[in-house]
């Protein structure tokens, strides 16, 4: 992705980089406004979607670190206007443990549209539309 001069795009990219490397609660919380809400619209892994506050976002990141050996958020495109940022992201994650019939070592991939709103330089709201590539269960032994 090309470098953006918009400060909110730079923050959004740094936030995704921190999540990629399983940053700790203090570092992740620094990107999020205390009243931040993260909404994940229904998708393959979360058929009912999710709505999380800051503590729940940080807890979910910790849970991801316990299930994934590696993950990467590749920000492919970003558009900013005022306090809003739209991102096109490709996520991949390698399972470190078997999950729901999927084998450890399996790579998951999602194409994501993320819409972030900022207040006081921090993320106050994030809405994700995650489109997961087909999940293929591990063969039974």
């Amino acid at each position: 992705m090309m470098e953006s001069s918009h400060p909110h795009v730079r923050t959004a990219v740094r936030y995704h980089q921190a999540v990629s490397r399983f940053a700790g609660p203090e570092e992740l919380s620094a990107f999020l406004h205390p009243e931040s809400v993260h909404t994940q619209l229904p998708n393959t892994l979360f058929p009912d979607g999710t709505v999380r506050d800051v503590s729940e976002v940080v807890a979910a990141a910790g849970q991801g670190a316990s299930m994934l050996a590696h993950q990467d958020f590749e920000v492919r495109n970003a558009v900013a206007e005022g306090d809003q940022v739209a991102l096109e992201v490709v996520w991949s994650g390698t399972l470190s443990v078997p999950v729901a019939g999927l084998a450890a070592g399996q790579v998951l991939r999602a194409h994501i549209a993320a819409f972030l709103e900022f207040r006081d330089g921090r993320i106050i709201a994030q809405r994700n539309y995650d489109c997961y590539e087909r999940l293929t269960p591990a063969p039974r032994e």
Side-chain angles (χ1 to χ4, degrees), residues 94-108:
T94 305
L95 292 174
S96 59
V97 296
V99 175
L102 303 172
Q106 186 164 350
V107 177
L108 309 179

Side-chain angles (χ1 to χ4, degrees), residues 19-133:
V19 173
S20 284
R21 62 182 158 68
F22 304 113
E26 187 174 308
E27 184 178 354
L28 290 180
S29 294
F31 289 99
L32 304 172
H33 188 280
E35 298 171 17
S36 185
V37 174
H38 181 279
T39 303
Q40 193 169 24
L41 283 293
N43 60 62
T44 300
L45 296 184
F46 300 97
D48 296 323
T50 63
V51 177
R52 295 179 172 134
D53 64 17
V54 174
S55 65
E56 293 166 323
V57 167
V58 170
Q63 183 182 19
S66 71
M67 297 171 54
L68 297 170
H70 174 267
Q71 71 175 340
D72 181 62
F73 288 87
E74 178 190 349
V75 178
R76 296 234 172 129
N77 196 3
V79 178
E81 178 68 37
D83 286 334
Q84 298 190 27
V85 173
L87 300 175
E88 177 186 6
V89 180
V90 175
W91 172 83
S92 61
T94 305
L95 292 174
S96 59
V97 296
V99 175
L102 303 172
Q106 186 164 350
V107 177
L108 309 179
R109 188 175 316 280
H111 304 269
I112 301 168
F115 298 87
L116 294 85
E117 296 176 36
F118 286 78
R119 182 185 299 161
D120 302 326
R122 297 164 81 182
I123 300 165
I124 184 74
Q126 180 174 350
R127 289 177 316 284
N128 274 38
Y129 299 81
D130 300 350
C131 300
Y132 285 89
E133 292 183 2

